Amino acid sequence: MIIKYPEKATLKEVLTGSLSTTSLKNICKRNGIFLLSPDKETVIRDAHLFYWGFNDINTISNQIEDEKNYKKSFRLQLEFSPSDADNSIFSALCSAFTSYRNSIASYSKVRFDSYNVVTIGDSQMLVGEISYIKKKPGKVEMLSEIIQHFSFQAKCPTDNRVDIDFLFADRNDISTAKRIVTAAVATSSALKPPTQISLKPLKISERVELFDRFFGYTFANWHFMSLQDIKISDGQIDDQDDIEQEAITQSILTGIKSAHLSGTGLRSNPIVMQAVQRGYFFPKATVRFEHKREAQEIVVDIAFNTDDLLLEVNMISTYEVEDDRPYRHPMAVDDQKSALAEFHDSIQELYDQIISERPQDGGDEITSET
């Protein structure tokens, strides 16, 4: 929320670099003003001179950061080692977060906008929304401080593990969420520091195996349609020619699609295996899914980001299908949460399978990394 009306020059700068033409036209349309020009400069030249009310300025400010409303997600896990005083893993979780919320959060300038226990069937989840102020030094006044929002839902799939899924819009939210969880569990002797699934401890062949099993996984609500794109890496600083790198990527992408269509799996495809032998693996795949019961399609990034190759599952686009044709259409936030959580669950299951299938007398030990 803004606290001071911006100057016209400031407003023009914000509209030019931080808001799409479509969004700006829609805001004007709600005020009875129809801007028909397809040229963005013409629209901004006219629009920034209008008298914008307080609610309009706040609407513009709120849309700047997360215009498309596609959700990004990552998961933190907590191990539970109960003492005699601990009743259950869920009560230990709620106690730790409530203690943080009531005491530490205000000093860290973190606000819990919502915080509730939700019962779904026989299980319970702790859900909430968090906001904090992100400063942007050097920006114009309207953009110098932005209130960031992200949400979380925590569940206990076993008696000794907590899964906390975060939906975020800005990468700064990730470090803030990790600091919050670390500080919260520090008040509990039963909950261990948070960890996150990483490709880094896996061998090259096991990294390929993880994606191979994911592409062929039977999901409860979704069906694998196609592999849209794949990123390849050898874990080294990229010093290859761009043309050569593109050729390798396209060759591997063709090999993966061929392996999937033939049902032979990635490890049986010679193109993919040659890449693995050269030390290549896949830190990100862009996959298209269709819903098994609803007329919906989605495109999702399965990405292992940062130097530690930590897992994120991000929604790229969503569609409704009508007359066998997909049309871009926003998906409700709760539906996005459900889909992203399902993909996290499946990758966790497959990751655990690969670990458990390793020979007991050989291979390096694999653990999740923070």
Side-chain angles (χ1 to χ4, degrees):
M1 178 180 291
I2 65 163
I3 57 175
K4 182 179 178 182
Y5 194 89
E7 298 177 355
K8 294 295 183 183
T10 296
L11 184 58
K12 184 175 182 180
E13 181 176 342
V14 171
L15 296 180
T16 300
S18 302
L19 204 66
S20 73
T21 306
T22 300
S23 292
L24 180 55
K25 285 183 175 181
N26 287 337
I27 294 172
C28 291
K29 185 177 179 180
R30 289 197 292 268
N31 287 284
I33 302 172
F34 295 85
L35 300 176
L36 304 180
S37 173
D39 181 60
K40 183 175 182 178
E41 290 185 4
T42 301
V43 171
I44 292 172
R45 183 197 63 201
D46 295 337
H48 91 281
L49 295 174
F50 297 155
Y51 176 78
W52 293 95
F54 178 78
N55 290 334
D56 297 319
I57 295 296
N58 272 326
T59 298
I60 293 172
S61 181
N62 290 336
Q63 288 192 14
I64 285 173
E65 289 299 302
D66 191 18
E67 189 181 334
K68 293 182 179 178
N69 202 36
Y70 293 140
K71 298 304 178 183
K72 304 176 183 178
S73 69
F74 74 100
R75 171 176 289 183
L76 295 181
Q77 295 179 325
L78 307 174
E79 289 188 8
F80 180 62
S81 299
S83 64
D84 294 338
D86 296 311
N87 295 322
S88 71
I89 181 174
F90 191 75
S91 63
L93 171 70
C94 291
S95 177
F97 269 77
T98 300
S99 177
Y100 174 87
R101 175 173 172 256
N102 293 339
S103 57
I104 305 174
S106 59
Y107 294 103
S108 303
K109 296 183 178 180
V110 170
R111 176 178 175 180
F112 283 74
D113 298 316
S114 65
Y115 182 76
N116 299 288
V117 173
V118 177
T119 301
I120 301 177
D122 296 330
S123 61
Q124 291 181 303
M125 286 199 306
L126 180 65
V127 301
E129 295 187 3
I130 293 174
S131 61
Y132 66 97
I133 295 177
K134 177 184 176 182
K135 295 182 180 294
K136 291 189 172 182
K139 297 286 185 179
V140 294
E141 185 175 1
M142 187 175 174
L143 300 176
S144 62
E145 286 190 356
I146 293 177
I147 299 178
Q148 292 288 113
H149 301 268
F150 62 88
S151 63
F152 71 90
Q153 56 183 28
K155 60 184 179 182
C156 306
T158 68
D159 291 337
N160 61 0
R161 194 183 85 209
V162 179
D163 290 343
I164 311 177
D165 290 343
F166 291 90
L167 267 66
F168 70 98
D170 186 281
R171 299 206 65 82
N172 190 66
D173 299 346
I174 298 177
S175 57
T176 300
K178 288 182 177 180
R179 285 198 300 270
I180 290 172
V181 175
T182 300
V185 301
T187 64
S188 171
S189 60
L191 294 170
K192 305 303 179 185
T195 60
Q196 194 173 352
I197 284 183
S198 168
L199 280 186
K200 198 169 184 180
L202 299 182
K203 294 181 292 185
I204 297 297
S205 59
E206 292 169 331
R207 297 175 186 182
V208 175
E209 172 78 10
L210 181 63
F211 276 101
D212 190 12
R213 295 190 185 190
F214 181 80
F215 295 155
Y217 189 85
T218 302
F219 300 93
N221 297 300
W222 298 95
H223 173 71
F224 181 97
M225 290 183 65
S226 64
L227 180 62
Q228 303 284 96
D229 196 11
I230 193 83
K231 179 181 179 181
I232 66 169
S233 174
D234 59 2
Q236 305 298 321
I237 297 176
D238 187 11
D239 57 358
Q240 288 183 315
D241 182 82
D242 289 342
I243 297 177
E244 179 186 359
Q245 184 74 14
E246 178 66 21
I248 294 173
T249 299
Q250 288 302 316
S251 176
I252 292 176
L253 182 59
T254 300
I256 292 174
K257 289 181 177 180
S258 173
H260 184 75
L261 289 173
S262 64
T264 57
L266 304 188
R267 289 157 294 125
S268 300
N269 184 274
I271 298 176
V272 177
M273 291 316 299
Q274 287 175 12
V276 172
Q277 291 168 2
R278 293 177 60 182
Y280 287 106
F281 63 96
F282 319 128
K284 184 174 80 169
T286 304
V287 186
R288 193 181 191 102
F289 295 93
E290 63 178 349
H291 201 279
K292 291 184 176 181
R293 294 172 297 278
E294 306 293 338
Q296 294 178 331
E297 293 180 6
I298 58 176
V299 176
V300 177
D301 264 353
I302 309 299
F304 291 86
N305 293 322
T306 75
D307 292 340
D308 289 324
L309 300 175
L310 300 174
L311 175 63
E312 294 175 23
V313 183
N314 303 327
M315 197 73 69
I316 302 302
S317 54
T318 61
Y319 304 84
E320 279 196 354
V321 180
E322 185 176 336
D323 297 329
D324 295 326
R325 291 186 60 186
Y327 298 89
R328 282 186 178 270
H329 189 275
M331 177 180 279
V333 172
D334 286 344
D335 291 339
Q336 291 189 56
K337 284 182 182 179
S338 177
L340 294 172
E342 182 173 351
F343 297 134
H344 275 289
D345 288 342
S346 64
I347 294 173
Q348 178 69 60
E349 178 185 337
L350 298 173
Y351 192 91
D352 291 343
Q353 285 178 3
I354 292 173
I355 293 175
S356 65
E357 292 170 6
R358 272 194 152 191
Q360 296 298 314
D361 56 348
D364 299 330
E365 181 183 358
I366 304 175
T367 57
S368 295
E369 292 193 348
T370 53

